Amino acid sequence: MSLAETAGKIDGAFSSIPIIDLSKCDTPEGRLATAYEIRDACMRVGFFYIRNHGIPQIYLNNVLDAMQKFFNLPIATKMKLHHKIVANFKGYTPPLDGNIDFDHEKGDFHEGFDFGFEEIEGKTNNEARSYDSAMAGGNVWPQDDCPEFREACLGYYHAAMNVGKILYPLFALALELPEAYFDDKTKNSAAVMRVLHYPSRNEHPELSEDTPGIGAHSEYLCFTVLWQLPDVQGLQIMNSDKEWINAPPMEDTLVVNIGDQLALWTNDIFKSTVHRAIINESGKERYSIPIFFGTDYHVNIEPIPSCVSADRPAKFTSINAGEYVKKRLTESYYTT
């Protein structure tokens, strides 16, 4: 049965999120078995947890410590790096600054900091940046106010990039394509990382309980790898019955979810599932770190032939990856 035929028989009324162990990926047989697990998860849920992801704990400890220090700075200090000061959506986002869910009039109650690829030891002429197209521009950092922030964030970023390098070939195998299929489309990192802080609502009684942490949305790029602070629930995923399913933090795991670019490539066979973060009612501070993996910004995306059939014609026309991401970000932060 073809991918397109299988997709028509999938039940998306899931009630839990699969857990996939990456420890088998050191052999061809193990990679293929893991790819089949990923295919099932991507077609039914669009989300899955991964174990044995390979990111050393020291990178998580360092970046969490740096995040807490940065987000504890005075708001006026953080606003010096407000993302609207620069042209590429990088830098600081204060609470209620964005609204990702157009059906919800309230802003998103979190604060964040966004950045893209950068060598830890900076280079003056970085070839990768010439491909950034619509998303071109350098990162900004709180060098004087939180000097350890840059190195801690980039340390985790580069460790997480290795997870992406493991997953791209697995997605290719899951789609019955050669393992190297995405190699020429991801030569220069289009990965964007956010560090996020969800303040406790207990300290903000003016907010109503239906104010979202992040409103309902799908992701813009190919896939996201998310770390969540243990013991503080926030992420919820919508199934095909329009029910919100919790995706709680699980020790020693990361969450992976499919984004719009991979859904476009697969003609919606892989699901870019709507999800949200609820307002933080835990009484604790909540932190999370998503890193968004996309194709190079100059690449044009259109449905893969194996994902198209007479009964499942192409749902999408070709679209430039960078322009699509810029459009979605502009809608989130500049549409009123």
Side-chain angles (χ1 to χ4, degrees), residues 265-279:
W265 245 326
T266 64
N267 202 31
D268 230 12
I269 288 175
F270 282 9
K271 303 301 182 188
S272 182
T273 304
V274 171
H275 53 286
R276 68 184 181 184
I278 58 176
I279 196 166

Side-chain angles (χ1 to χ4, degrees), residues 1 3 6 10 18 20-22 24-25 28-44 48 169-177 270:
M1 187 179 295
L3 284 170
T6 303
I10 292 294
I20 297 175
D21 191 333
L22 299 184
K24 299 176 292 187
C25 292
E29 297 80 10
R31 287 195 295 277
L32 190 60
T34 304
Y36 289 155
E37 292 184 63
I38 287 175
R39 178 168 65 191
D40 179 70
C42 292
M43 295 176 75
R44 289 193 306 105
F48 54 95
L170 294 173
F171 285 128
L173 288 173
L175 293 165
E176 301 176 354
L177 298 167
F270 282 9

Side-chain angles (χ1 to χ4, degrees), residues 235-295:
L235 177 62
Q236 295 184 326
I237 304 165
M238 182 179 283
N239 69 14
S240 60
D241 288 338
K242 307 300 182 184
E243 298 170 327
W244 288 109
I245 307 301
N246 285 342
M250 297 182 64
E251 197 73 31
D252 299 324
T253 69
L254 300 170
V255 178
V256 178
N257 68 280
I258 301 305
D260 294 350
Q261 288 183 353
L262 206 47
L264 292 167
W265 245 326
T266 64
N267 202 31
D268 230 12
I269 288 175
F270 282 9
K271 303 301 182 188
S272 182
T273 304
V274 171
H275 53 286
R276 68 184 181 184
I278 58 176
I279 196 166
N280 181 8
E281 302 271 17
S282 69
K284 307 175 184 177
E285 303 300 295
R286 178 175 182 255
Y287 298 91
S288 69
I289 308 172
I291 180 165
F292 307 96
F293 289 88
T295 182

Side-chain angles (χ1 to χ4, degrees), residues 125-324:
N125 293 306
N126 188 340
E127 182 182 357
R129 301 285 62 93
S130 67
Y131 290 92
D132 275 357
S133 182
M135 300 299 295
N139 297 320
V140 293
W141 301 104
Q143 294 179 345
D144 296 326
D145 300 301
C146 190
E148 65 269 49
F149 186 71
R150 175 185 175 275
E151 184 171 348
C153 287
L154 289 176
Y156 179 85
Y157 178 98
H158 285 281
M161 287 291 291
N162 291 328
V163 180
K165 292 176 182 177
I166 294 170
L167 288 173
Y168 271 118
L170 294 173
F171 285 128
L173 288 173
L175 293 165
E176 301 176 354
L177 298 167
E179 285 188 68
Y181 179 82
F182 292 108
D183 286 2
D184 65 343
K185 303 164 185 65
T186 55
K187 288 182 178 179
N188 302 284
S189 171
V192 175
M193 179 167 142
R194 303 192 78 194
V195 293
L196 294 169
H197 171 224
Y198 298 84
S200 171
R201 180 171 169 254
N202 294 5
E203 300 174 10
H204 298 272
E206 74 280 7
L207 296 173
S208 62
E209 63 181 13
D210 64 340
T211 302
I214 294 181
H217 67 287
S218 61
E219 305 293 12
Y220 314 150
L221 299 180
C222 286
F223 61 92
T224 304
V225 174
L226 172 73
W227 173 83
Q228 305 182 84
L229 183 70
D231 302 323
V232 185
Q233 167 62 32
L235 177 62
Q236 295 184 326
I237 304 165
M238 182 179 283
N239 69 14
S240 60
D241 288 338
K242 307 300 182 184
E243 298 170 327
W244 288 109
I245 307 301
N246 285 342
M250 297 182 64
E251 197 73 31
D252 299 324
T253 69
L254 300 170
V255 178
V256 178
N257 68 280
I258 301 305
D260 294 350
Q261 288 183 353
L262 206 47
L264 292 167
W265 245 326
T266 64
N267 202 31
D268 230 12
I269 288 175
F270 282 9
K271 303 301 182 188
S272 182
T273 304
V274 171
H275 53 286
R276 68 184 181 184
I278 58 176
I279 196 166
N280 181 8
E281 302 271 17
S282 69
K284 307 175 184 177
E285 303 300 295
R286 178 175 182 255
Y287 298 91
S288 69
I289 308 172
I291 180 165
F292 307 96
F293 289 88
T295 182
D296 295 345
Y297 288 130
H298 70 285
V299 170
N300 291 323
I301 300 174
E302 58 187 0
I304 296 166
S306 62
C307 296
V308 178
S309 68
D311 293 329
R312 193 183 185 89
K315 296 182 178 183
F316 314 104
T317 57
S318 178
I319 187 168
N320 175 266
E323 292 298 333
Y324 177 75

